[in-house]
Amino acid sequence: MKLRGTLGGLNLLLEPGDTASSVAHSLENYSDLLATSVTIEIAGDTHPEALEVALSAIRAAGGTPGRVRAPRVTVTSANGAAVPERAPQEDPELPSAQTVIVPHNVRAGFRGEYKGSVVVLGDVNPGAELIAGGDVIVTGALRGVAHAGYGGYENAIVWARPIASPQIRIGDALARSPEGSSNMRRMEGNERTERASLSGGMIVIDVQR
């Protein structure tokens, strides 16, 4: 994990090998710096719980998570000029054993299947479906169908802000929204993050503070 100041606030880089405990320990010493706008960058195969801890620490310090994005890299153009651009992304339609970052909202009709975890930097709209062998992490609202831990991985989680899905699965367990409820409920702009996990074979959704 790395922190650096920018003109717009603070930049926090989560790197492969960062865990929830290591990020929490590191950020304890920087709580005063987090009370600003913080952009989070995810480099490589970052554990989803590390992202969850970082977001919680920023809000607890009075800061505001700005954007969550892939790290920027610099390449050299044909004329020798440095051209900043985002790190290349894997095709979100192709399965991968690594964590796949989808850098945009997911629209209705989209069906994504991933061998590892998937992180969506936006909303998952009604009519979309995500199936992952690992975790399903959505930095916005999850209104589509999500299946984490496909293949029987019971330690997988579904994480979103909020979970407003008509149906989620974790491993072989299934949870549906109550009859007559709507996954199109109005968002007020201050929704808390929610985390779904398996407990005793059943899916439990906890509000993250």
Side-chain angles (χ1 to χ4, degrees):
M1 190 201 80
K2 296 179 181 176
L3 281 171
R4 63 182 177 85
T6 67
L7 292 177
L10 194 67
N11 184 289
L12 188 156
L13 174 64
L14 296 177
E15 302 175 294
D18 285 337
T19 64
S21 59
S22 68
V23 171
H25 178 72
S26 298
L27 292 181
E28 283 180 357
N29 301 322
Y30 298 103
S31 59
D32 55 332
L33 298 178
L34 297 178
T36 184
S37 176
V38 183
T39 295
I40 299 177
E41 294 186 348
I42 302 175
D45 191 7
T46 301
H47 199 286
E49 289 191 359
L51 172 61
E52 179 181 337
V53 167
L55 289 168
S56 297
I58 293 167
R59 295 192 180 99
T64 303
R67 292 180 294 172
V68 182
R69 68 188 187 195
R72 295 181 181 275
V73 298
T74 299
V75 298
T76 302
S77 65
N79 62 7
V83 180
E85 62 176 30
R86 292 189 184 277
Q89 300 294 325
E90 298 180 57
D91 185 340
E93 295 183 355
L94 296 177
S96 172
Q98 302 296 316
T99 297
V100 174
I101 299 174
V102 180
H104 49 69
N105 294 336
V106 175
R107 298 181 178 180
F110 176 84
R111 176 185 170 91
E113 298 185 14
Y114 311 92
K115 290 183 179 180
S117 299
V118 58
V119 178
V120 177
L121 307 185
D123 297 329
V124 176
N125 292 320
E129 185 175 2
L130 300 176
I131 302 172
D135 303 314
V136 175
I137 306 295
V138 181
T139 62
L142 170 60
R143 298 188 181 96
V145 173
H147 187 171
Y150 179 77
Y153 178 54
E154 297 186 348
N155 290 327
I157 64 169
V158 175
W159 188 95
R161 189 172 185 240
I163 296 175
S165 175
Q167 175 184 299
I168 61 173
R169 290 178 178 268
I170 298 179
D172 297 324
L174 168 67
R176 297 180 184 271
S177 59
E179 190 70 26
S181 67
S182 171
N183 64 332
M184 291 293 290
R185 71 179 190 245
R186 182 178 179 182
M187 300 301 169
E188 302 296 337
N190 58 350
E191 290 76 23
R192 293 180 177 177
T193 56
E194 295 177 322
R195 180 179 186 269
S197 59
L198 278 181
S199 177
M202 298 181 62
I203 295 176
V204 177
I205 298 178
D206 297 316
V207 176
Q208 305 293 293
R209 299 183 180 278

